């Protein structure tokens, strides 16, 4: 096209009688936080982590409330027992059935399991896992015997235990038996009838001196329940089916009644008829782990949030002063934080525990230990942000207009750095939880009287019985691992979302 | 450079002395533990306490302590755990166990970690990279006692490959001993591998996208040549100080791992000193951990300067 000679009539005014305006913005205005949230939402792994994190926090809030057992309830005998819920166990699904593997069970022990099953009506044997043949020497000859690996319901396996009851309690249990029809007290067996074996309450049949059952010709147990009425306290309650009516149910021993108690039913008596339901089993103190994890996590999370909030405040002020004034102020304050950050955390914790625990309590001194060195990272971060912004033109402009130092620091510089400061807080929380757990795990800080239990305490109790009761370590480990992973993923997601250099890249 | 290093060492020493002084005074302020009445060591220990100035002002006590440490290397005697024994001797006895476990652990984890990091960076934005990065993230988050539990349960209990606890005795290089320290080595390794993978990947991806890499390719280097000679060298500026720091850290070890596998090391000694309130041992442990922390920071800073001439911080001033 020819541009040199354009005829005049082809020209026309862009505007003649109207004024020109910019068009109103068609796109929606989007703030800094909204933008960050949108970018956070695009990060799939962080979103998933956030959801799981919320679930874990909900767990820690509600588990202690919905749990059947309080954290202070410590069962004396159901200690380190595997997960068990009576209603699920009865369906034979293979889960939550309190099963524990007992290896190399010979005929004698098979009979003792049978004895428990016959007397209490609760068969502890869930199944046979394996059968092996072994050669044993019997009366000078090698004989092949079968031994079994059994899956045993640990809650039933305990069977009958001896318990010395005050007479009032004895009467109360009888009344409860009459009311519910659940047999707690079983007929008494005198020690002389069971070859003077005194530590096994599960013997109600004729045994030899080693505790092996002596069966009759048909292979049945021979009951040896005592009928000597003169040694027993009066008993007016339900009797076991095989009782002809003259069995005695207790033995008077130093002003109280010694009884053979079916522990499973005694547990129900103690818990108003409720059967044991430990979803995650019990720990070394007989506490419910399901409840314990919730209680511990609740403390850890609250404590971590409190610590981060305090450290954030102190660190922000300290870093602001350092970064804004610079020069010798910065120099001096940096030296102080250098010294404080050089003290190993374990030493700080120990010294605070030794010095302050009596005055301000264990939790208070633990909190001080965290606060003493915890703010340094936050201060360094704030200081960097201040160095970044304090030389920029808008600060010069504000200063020229007469803004005071305080106003410049907290109205002009601080809001610019707040994104990265807040997101680092999300990464501080898992750090605090981790060190808190380590310290309670190592036993340097003992929070059990204050918080009931903590994840670290649960883990250290579980670690002592890692071979016999792996569940006691497994569930707290899973919880802690998930909590850490989710907190870190969440924090990383936040950091990426608030990172100004990635802003608007993928819009 | 020499002046800078000297400055840093002096400064570190100064910080170390202040920390030692603070902890020393805080420990001496605690009630002095009673000695067992009928022990033959008791009169000697009482005399020692007198000589150390237990009833004099704290500054005098600190002066005596520092004088003993610097002139005779005398850190005092244990009053509870190893009654009457020189604390430093006990400490030196415990050091090899800690060092050997950590040494083995970092000897194989650092190469593996760096290799994984390089692999992930070279395959950036492929499934390999995603897998490695996610695993790294997960592994770094999980605390070490969880690994210790898994290792102990799976390898020691279910498979019965290794013993549960570290073997006693001082034959640190025998096969039996090596077998018994594999579980703690494994438990320590996950975190170190993940740490190095993450650093290497982050550094290398940044270097690989920089302009001099494009130049290197443009002037005709193959991808391998460019990566090995230019990218890796630059990314080692960050990694090598980390390795040095890690090597200093082997002295410190991990309290948790030492407790779980009952390693007769420095960490266990410190824990026992804390629980048994053996203050002389505790002061020595405090000084030791402080010194290690400071030394690691110093080595990292100084090695930056040595490796990368662009970062000679001190020489500018």
């Amino acid at each position: 096209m020819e541009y040199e000679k354009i005829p005049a009539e082809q020209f026309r005014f862009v505007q003649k009688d109207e004024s020109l305006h910019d068009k109103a913005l068609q796109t929606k205005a989007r703030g800094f936080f909204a933008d960050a949230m949108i970018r956070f939402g695009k990060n799939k792994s962080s979103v998933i982590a956030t959801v799981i994190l919320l679930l874990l926090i909900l767990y820690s809030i509600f588990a202690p409330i919905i749990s059947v057992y309080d954290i202070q309830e410590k069962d004396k005998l159901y200690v380190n027992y595997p997960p068990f819920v009576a209603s699920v166990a009865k369906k034979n699904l293979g889960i939550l059935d309190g099963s524990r593997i007992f290896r190399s069970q010979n005929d004698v022990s098979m009979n003792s399991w049978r004895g428990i099953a016959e007397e209490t009506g609760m068969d502890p044997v869930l199944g046979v896992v394996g059968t092996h043949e072994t050669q044993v020497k019997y009366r000078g000859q090698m004989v092949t015997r079968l031994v079994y690996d059994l899956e045993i319901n640990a809650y039933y396996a305990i069977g009958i235990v001896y318990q010395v009851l005050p007479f009032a309690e004895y009467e109360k249990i009888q009344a409860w038996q009459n009311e519910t029809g659940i047999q707690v007290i079983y007929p008494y067996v005198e020690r002389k009838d069971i070859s003077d074996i005194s530590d096994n309450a599960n013997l109600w049949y004729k045994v030899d001196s080693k505790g092996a059952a002596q069966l009759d010709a048909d292979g049945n147990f021979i009951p040896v329940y005592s009928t000597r009425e003169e040694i027993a306290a009066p008993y007016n309650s339900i009797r076991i089916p095989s009782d002809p009516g003259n069995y005695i149910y207790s033995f008077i021993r130093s002003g109280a009644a010694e009884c053979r108690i079916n522990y499973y039913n005694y547990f129900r008596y103690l818990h108003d008829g409720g059967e044991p339901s430990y979803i995650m089993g019990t720990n070394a103190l007989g506490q419910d782990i399901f409840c314990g994890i919730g209680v511990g996590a609740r403390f850890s999370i609250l404590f971590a949030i409190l610590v981060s909030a305090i450290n954030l405040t102190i660190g922000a002020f300290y870093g602001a002063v350092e970064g804004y004034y610079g020069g010798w102020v910065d120099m001096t304050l940096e030296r102080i934080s250098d010294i404080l950050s050089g003290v190993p955390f374990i030493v700080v914790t120990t010294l605070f525990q030794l010095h302050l625990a009596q005055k301000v309590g264990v939790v208070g001194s633990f909190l001080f230990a965290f606060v003493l060195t915890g703010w340094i990272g936050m201060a360094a971060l704030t200081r960097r942000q201040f160095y970044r912004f304090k030389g920029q033109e808008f600060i010069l402009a504000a200063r020229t207009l007469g803004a005071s130092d305080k106003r410049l620091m907290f109205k002009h510089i601080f809001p610019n750095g707040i994104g990265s400061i807040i997101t680092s807080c999300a990464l501080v929380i898992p750090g605090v939880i981790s060190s808190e757990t380590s310290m309670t795990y190592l036993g340097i800080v003992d929070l059990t009287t204050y918080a009931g239990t903590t994840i670290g305490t649960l883990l250290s109790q579980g670690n002592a019985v890692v071979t016999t009761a792996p569940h006691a370590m497994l569930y707290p480990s899973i919880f802690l691992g998930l909590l850490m992973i989710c907190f870190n993923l969440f924090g990383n997601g936040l950091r990426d979302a608030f990172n100004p250099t990635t802003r608007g890249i993928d819009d | 450079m020499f002046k800078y290093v000297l400055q840093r060492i002096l400064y570190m020493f100064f910080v170390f002395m202040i920390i030692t002084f603070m902890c020393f005074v805080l420990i001496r302020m605690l009630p002095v533990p009673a000695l067992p009445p009928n022990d033959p060591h008791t009169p000697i220990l009482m005399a020692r306490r007198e000589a150390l100035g237990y009833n004099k002002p704290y500054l005098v006590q600190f002066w005596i302590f520092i004088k003993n440490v610097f002139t005779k290397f005398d850190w005092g005697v244990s009053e509870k755990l190893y009654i009457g024994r020189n604390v430093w001797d006990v400490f030196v006895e415990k050091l090899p166990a800690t060092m050997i476990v950590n040494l083995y652990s970092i000897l194989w984890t650092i190469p593996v970690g760096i290799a994984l990091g390089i692999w992930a960076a070279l395959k950036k934005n492929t499934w390999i990279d995603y897998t490695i990065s996610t695993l790294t993230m997960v592994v770094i988050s999980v605390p070490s006692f969880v690994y210790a539990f898994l290792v102990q349960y799976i390898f020691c209990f279910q498979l019965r490959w290794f013993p549960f606890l570290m073997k006693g005795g001082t034959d640190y290089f025998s096969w039996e001993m090596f077998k018994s320290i594999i579980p703690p080595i494994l438990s320590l390794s996950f975190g170190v591998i993940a740490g190095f993978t993450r650093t290497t990947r982050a550094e290398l991806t940044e270097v690989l996208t920089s302009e001099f890499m494009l130049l290197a390719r443009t002037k005709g280097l193959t991808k391998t040549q460019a990566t090995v000679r230019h990218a890796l060298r630059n990314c080692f500026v960050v990694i090598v100080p980390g390795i040095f720091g890690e090597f200093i850290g082997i002295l410190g070890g991990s309290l948790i791992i030492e407790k779980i596998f009952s390693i007769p090391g420095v960490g266990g000694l410190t824990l026992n000193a804390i629980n048994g309130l053996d203050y002389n041992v505790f002061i020595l442990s405090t000084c030791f951990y402080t010194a290690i922390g400071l030394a690691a920071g110093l080595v990292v800073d100084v090695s930056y300067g040595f490796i990368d001439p662009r970062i000679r911080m001190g020489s500018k001033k």
Side-chain angles (χ1 to χ4, degrees):
Chain A
M1 199 177 197
E2 189 67 47
Y3 288 111
E4 301 276 312
K5 298 167 205 130
I6 302 170
E9 62 271 16
Q10 285 207 3
F11 285 101
R12 60 185 176 79
F13 289 106
V14 173
Q15 108 258 33
K16 201 171 185 184
D17 297 321
E18 61 203 282
S19 55
L20 262 184
H21 289 293
D22 279 341
K23 271 187 186 150
L25 285 171
Q26 294 296 311
T27 51
K28 236 174 113 189
R30 193 196 280 167
F32 178 59
F33 280 90
D35 179 60
M37 282 309 119
I38 286 168
R39 263 180 298 144
F40 185 78
K42 281 186 186 153
N43 192 342
K44 288 287 169 294
S45 65
S46 300
V47 174
I48 295 170
T50 315
V51 172
I52 300 177
L53 186 62
L54 282 177
L55 289 178
L56 292 176
I57 291 174
L58 284 180
Y59 172 92
S60 72
I61 296 171
F62 289 108
I65 300 172
I66 62 169
S67 163
V68 188
Y69 308 100
D70 190 73
I71 192 66
Q72 302 302 341
E73 274 178 55
K74 295 168 185 169
D75 200 88
K76 284 186 196 69
L77 292 181
Y78 286 164
V79 165
N80 286 327
Y81 269 36
F84 177 79
V85 174
S87 51
V88 182
K90 278 170 192 144
K91 289 181 186 136
N92 289 327
L93 297 174
I95 50 161
L96 297 174
D97 52 4
S99 78
R100 189 175 269 182
I101 306 291
F102 281 63
R103 296 200 184 278
S104 307
Q105 301 286 297
N106 58 12
D107 294 345
V108 176
S109 30
M110 289 304 279
N111 269 335
S112 78
W113 296 126
R114 210 183 100 203
I116 294 173
E118 277 189 24
E119 187 179 29
T120 63
M122 301 169 187
D123 191 356
V125 180
L126 292 166
V128 180
V129 187
T131 315
H132 313 283
E133 280 183 5
T134 50
Q135 300 282 330
V136 281
K137 205 167 188 181
Y138 181 68
R139 290 183 185 163
Q141 285 177 323
M142 294 308 284
V143 187
T144 307
R145 288 277 166 84
L146 287 178
V147 293
Y148 306 94
D149 292 343
L150 297 181
E151 208 180 342
I152 298 280
N153 180 341
Y155 289 80
Y156 290 168
I158 201 165
I160 309 278
V161 293
Y162 287 119
Q163 183 106 344
V164 178
L165 301 167
F167 288 124
E169 181 76 5
Y170 181 57
E171 298 293 333
K172 225 174 121 190
I173 295 179
Q174 287 183 37
W176 188 79
Q177 287 193 148
N178 289 335
E179 195 185 308
T180 57
I182 299 168
Q183 188 93 37
V184 177
I185 305 173
Y186 274 69
Y188 195 76
V189 176
E190 285 183 74
R191 306 283 210 285
K192 67 176 167 61
D193 295 328
I194 47 172
S195 309
D196 289 317
I197 296 169
S198 59
D199 57 349
N200 188 353
N202 277 312
L203 301 178
W204 56 277
Y205 39 81
K206 212 168 166 217
V207 289
D208 63 12
S209 61
K210 283 177 189 147
Q214 292 180 323
L215 306 173
D216 65 9
D218 301 332
N220 291 324
F221 294 114
I222 308 161
V224 288
Y225 294 124
S226 172
T227 52
R228 287 203 299 152
E229 241 169 77
E230 65 273 19
I231 60 166
Y235 181 78
N236 308 302
S237 183
I238 51 171
R239 290 167 178 273
I240 61 166
S242 64
D243 186 356
N246 60 351
Y247 287 168
I248 60 163
Y249 282 76
S250 60
F251 174 75
I252 299 177
R253 186 181 284 250
S254 53
E258 189 190 56
C259 301
R260 290 174 70 236
I261 296 257
N262 180 336
Y263 194 76
Y264 189 86
N265 287 344
Y266 182 63
F267 183 94
R268 297 185 68 181
Y269 159 74
L270 290 177
H271 294 90
D272 302 324
E275 294 185 68
S277 76
Y278 294 108
I279 299 173
M280 295 179 183
T282 62
N283 70 357
L285 298 176
Q287 290 166 319
D288 183 13
I289 292 181
F290 176 77
C291 177
I293 293 177
V295 169
R298 194 168 58 180
F299 173 81
S300 293
I301 293 172
L302 281 180
F303 187 76
I305 291 174
L306 182 66
V307 168
S308 328
I310 296 175
N311 285 344
L312 179 73
T313 319
I314 299 178
F317 271 100
Y318 197 93
V321 171
E322 273 185 323
Y324 183 77
Y325 290 107
W328 67 268
V329 178
D330 182 25
M331 186 78 169
T332 322
L333 294 181
E334 269 294 278
R335 294 295 87 87
I336 294 174
S337 59
D338 266 2
I339 290 169
L340 284 180
S341 66
V343 190
F345 183 64
I346 182 169
V347 174
V348 179
T349 319
T350 314
L351 285 177
F352 271 85
Q353 286 298 315
L354 292 174
H355 273 284
L356 286 176
Q358 264 110 40
K359 289 175 203 145
V360 296
V362 180
V363 181
S365 46
F366 200 24
L367 186 69
F368 279 134
F370 269 106
V371 169
L372 183 76
T373 53
W375 53 267
I376 291 170
M378 196 59 75
L381 191 76
T382 317
R383 176 171 171 264
R384 259 203 312 280
Q385 297 296 325
F386 267 70
Y387 267 109
R388 198 169 120 201
F389 288 111
K390 76 172 182 185
Q392 292 194 3
E393 282 78 6
F394 69 95
I395 300 298
L396 188 65
R399 183 173 294 153
T400 320
L401 290 170
S404 67
D405 280 357
K406 207 176 97 194
R407 193 179 164 80
L408 281 176
M409 277 155 82
F410 293 105
K411 285 269 179 204
H412 294 282
I413 306 180
F414 197 68
N416 276 298
I418 198 139
S420 57
I421 292 170
I422 285 181
T423 46
S424 79
C425 194
L427 287 170
V428 167
I429 292 177
V432 173
I433 296 179
S434 175
S435 358
E436 182 259 338
T437 313
S438 310
M439 289 298 141
T440 47
Y441 179 86
L442 292 172
I444 292 173
V445 181
D446 183 15
L447 294 166
T448 44
T449 43
Y450 178 82
T453 189
T454 59
I455 305 265
T457 315
L458 285 175
L459 283 169
S460 105
Q461 286 161 348
N463 192 53
V465 287
V466 69
T467 53
T468 51
H471 71 275
M473 183 113 188
L474 179 69
Y475 293 107
S477 298
I478 291 178
F479 185 90
L480 184 66
L482 264 184
L483 189 70
M484 286 299 158
I485 292 168
C486 292
F487 251 124
N488 280 329
L489 280 177
F490 169 70
N492 280 350
L494 270 192
R495 191 187 55 198
D496 293 346
F498 275 103
N499 186 355
T501 55
T502 59
R503 196 178 176 191
I505 281 178
D506 44 18
D507 277 343
Chain B
M1 192 63 200
F2 176 71
K3 198 179 150 203
Y4 168 66
V5 174
L6 201 68
Q7 258 176 2
R8 284 301 309 257
I9 291 176
L10 277 178
Y11 176 60
M12 189 197 109
F13 184 71
F14 175 68
V15 172
F16 174 74
M17 287 310 282
I18 292 180
I19 294 174
T20 311
F21 176 67
M22 289 194 311
C23 295
F24 179 85
V25 170
L26 282 173
I27 291 170
R28 281 288 163 90
M29 272 163 74
L30 292 164
V32 182
L35 294 167
N38 294 322
D39 198 276
H41 295 287
T42 302
I44 307 168
L45 288 178
M46 290 305 279
R48 264 200 81 106
R49 283 184 179 180
E50 190 61 37
L52 291 172
Y54 265 55
N55 40 19
K56 297 203 178 95
Y58 293 125
L59 263 177
V60 180
Q61 290 186 29
F62 185 64
W63 172 244
I64 298 174
F65 171 74
I66 285 297
K67 210 168 62 184
N68 281 341
V69 168
F70 280 98
T71 54
K72 296 180 277 184
F73 214 68
D74 174 11
W75 293 81
V77 293
S78 170
E79 293 180 346
K80 281 267 175 72
L81 299 174
Y82 304 88
I83 194 153
R85 281 197 61 193
N86 198 323
V87 171
W88 178 254
D89 294 344
V90 175
F91 193 81
V92 169
E93 248 170 48
K94 302 278 178 188
L95 208 48
T98 300
M99 280 175 64
I100 198 127
V101 170
N102 289 285
L103 186 68
Y104 279 134
S105 144
I106 62 168
L107 277 186
W108 81 277
T109 49
I110 290 177
V112 171
I114 293 175
L116 280 178
I118 292 173
W119 194 29
L122 292 179
K123 306 272 176 195
K124 194 170 183 251
N125 293 337
T126 61
W127 66 270
I128 295 173
D129 176 37
Y130 293 137
T131 318
I132 292 180
S133 304
T134 318
L135 276 181
T136 308
M137 183 64 225
V138 168
V139 166
I140 252 179
S141 310
V142 177
S144 58
F145 26 66
V146 177
Y147 299 122
F149 161 64
L150 290 176
V151 167
Q152 224 174 21
Y153 187 71
I154 295 171
F155 294 118
C156 305
F157 179 60
Q158 292 291 359
L159 299 172
R160 289 170 200 280
W161 287 354
F162 312 112
F164 259 88
L165 305 174
M166 184 172 166
K167 187 176 150 315
T170 48
D171 49 334
Y172 293 111
F173 295 99
S174 69
W175 170 243
E176 284 298 305
M177 180 62 91
F178 181 70
K179 214 172 129 187
S180 76
I181 57 175
I182 289 177
I185 292 174
L186 271 181
S187 321
L188 280 170
S189 301
F190 292 102
V192 185
I193 292 182
F196 273 97
T197 307
R198 187 163 74 171
T199 324
T200 313
R201 184 192 168 272
E203 273 308 308
L204 196 57
T205 41
E206 205 181 312
V207 175
L208 282 176
T209 49
S210 56
E211 273 153 8
F212 68 82
M213 281 304 291
L214 192 61
L215 175 71
R217 292 301 304 283
T218 325
K219 77 181 182 187
L221 295 182
T222 63
K223 199 172 177 203
T224 324
Q225 283 174 323
T227 312
V228 173
R229 292 194 195 154
H230 294 275
L232 275 185
R233 278 198 179 191
N234 274 289
C235 104
F236 274 134
V237 169
V238 175
I239 297 167
V240 171
I243 296 177
F244 284 137
E246 203 65 44
F247 264 96
I248 300 277
I250 65 170
L251 288 164
S254 157
L255 290 162
I256 290 168
I257 297 294
E258 290 199 7
K259 188 179 179 219
I260 292 179
F261 294 99
S262 77
I263 298 169
V266 180
L269 182 69
T270 311
L271 276 181
N272 287 340
I274 291 171
N275 292 325
L277 299 180
D278 196 326
Y279 293 132
N280 286 340
V281 179
F282 185 50
I283 290 177
L284 177 57
S285 297
T286 305
C287 294
F288 178 69
Y289 283 120
T290 311
I292 285 177
L294 292 173
L298 175 83
V299 167
V300 169
D301 277 2
V302 169
S303 56
Y304 264 117
F306 270 110
I307 296 163
D308 190 350
R310 289 173 304 180
I311 323 176
R312 292 223 170 114
M313 288 170 287
S315 55
K316 283 188 297 208
K317 286 177 191 166

